Amino acid sequence: DQQVKQNSPSLSVQEGRISILNCDYTNSMFDYFLWYKKYPAEGPTFLISISSIKDKNEDGRFTVFLNKSAKHLSLHIVPSQPGDSAVYFCAASETRANSKLTFGKGITLSVRP
Amino acid sequence: DAGITQSPRHKVTETGTPVTLRCHQTENHRYMYWYRQDPGHGLRLIHYSYGVKDTDKGEVSDGYSVSRSKTEDFLLTLESATSSQTSVYFCAISLGTSGRGAGELFFGEGSRLTVL
């Protein structure tokens, strides 16, 4: 049973517009959530995270929103740039002290110039 | 740069042969992980280690074993490779359980394994 779900396999947006990547989870014990970005032939790189005590975390063009009651989080990228084209993985763990991350399947984002 | 090196980066082998992938880190981090990435499955945890000779199973551990005899090296072994183990394997380290970077994983560049 998949505990972290990224139901949309791909997303295409125009440069300069907002990209919204969604993620749902089923395990109510998850307490810490992260987004990773992956380019082809490279390892995933950490993008942004959020603890369950918050509902929003912002870092430059990237904002993550968490809705605990709905078990839903989203990553907003504003404005989107062609260099943002990559696979984005949502991940979760039961505690920040435990780096055993459970990942979603990933979303391929394409930003059109 | 978290100082993670994976070897080999690419390997083609035949069904039934043993394969060992190596993850080497230069910064003495205690926590190390092996994940595999497959289309339609994302990243799945195979095994992890919380220290020398302290390892445990992850979500997809069947057919894999690991060893950690030194802090800097975490080895993943496929005792008898099968075609279903064709995948990209990523090693990761954690900076720790508290402070800046806690809870985050830093990944190596991956080892692409093809089992014919």
Side-chain angles (χ1 to χ4, degrees):
Chain A
D1 182 32
Q2 201 176 7
Q3 299 185 69
V4 178
K5 301 179 181 180
Q6 296 178 263
N7 292 322
S8 301
S10 63
L11 175 67
S12 181
V13 299
Q14 192 75 37
E15 180 179 5
R17 307 294 289 268
I18 184 172
S19 294
I20 300 177
L21 289 70
N22 293 307
C23 178
D24 297 291
Y25 62 95
T26 59
N27 186 344
S28 58
M29 297 299 292
F30 284 149
D31 190 54
Y32 189 60
F33 305 88
L34 309 89
W35 284 93
Y36 279 79
K37 176 180 180 179
K38 185 182 179 307
Y39 292 118
E42 295 184 10
T45 55
F46 170 74
L47 196 56
I48 193 170
S49 63
I50 188 166
S51 169
S52 62
I53 62 173
K54 295 185 176 181
D55 55 16
K56 176 182 174 181
N57 188 27
E58 192 171 354
D59 184 1
R61 296 185 298 112
F62 302 91
T63 302
V64 55
F65 295 92
L66 175 63
N67 182 334
K68 281 195 70 177
S69 61
K71 293 191 177 65
H72 176 84
L73 62 155
S74 60
L75 175 68
H76 292 213
I77 306 174
V78 183
S80 301
Q81 300 173 353
D84 296 329
S85 297
V87 178
Y88 289 79
F89 292 100
C90 174
S93 67
E94 294 187 5
T95 169
R96 194 177 177 189
N98 176 352
S99 299
K100 277 177 56 182
L101 301 183
T102 300
F103 286 82
K105 293 182 179 181
I107 300 173
T108 300
L109 173 65
S110 299
V111 180
R112 306 185 304 274
Chain B
D1 183 6
I4 305 172
T5 304
Q6 291 187 229
S7 59
R9 295 290 313 280
H10 301 272
K11 185 172 181 66
V12 179
T13 191
E14 294 187 351
T15 298
T17 59
V19 176
T20 295
L21 305 179
R22 179 181 183 239
C23 179
H24 178 78
Q25 56 143 331
T26 59
E27 299 187 6
N28 222 34
H29 294 293
R30 181 178 167 189
Y31 307 98
M32 299 184 75
Y33 307 78
W34 276 107
Y35 281 84
R36 61 178 287 177
Q37 185 199 2
D38 304 287
H41 291 279
L43 290 150
R44 293 179 292 175
L45 181 63
I46 305 171
H47 280 281
Y48 58 100
S49 170
Y50 285 166
V52 173
K53 297 184 180 179
D54 184 4
T55 66
D56 207 344
K57 297 178 179 179
E59 177 187 357
V60 289
S61 60
D62 287 349
Y64 302 95
S65 63
V66 289
S67 65
R68 185 125 180 246
S69 59
K70 298 184 292 184
T71 300
E72 58 265 35
D73 289 325
F74 192 30
L75 304 181
L76 177 70
T77 297
L78 291 65
E79 301 290 349
S80 177
T82 67
S83 58
S84 65
Q85 294 175 312
T86 293
S87 186
V88 181
Y89 292 86
F90 289 100
C91 175
I93 63 170
S94 169
L95 294 186
T97 59
S98 62
R100 184 177 177 82
E104 301 167 18
L105 291 182
F106 294 86
F107 286 85
E109 295 188 339
S111 295
R112 180 174 292 275
L113 175 67
T114 302
V115 183
L116 302 176

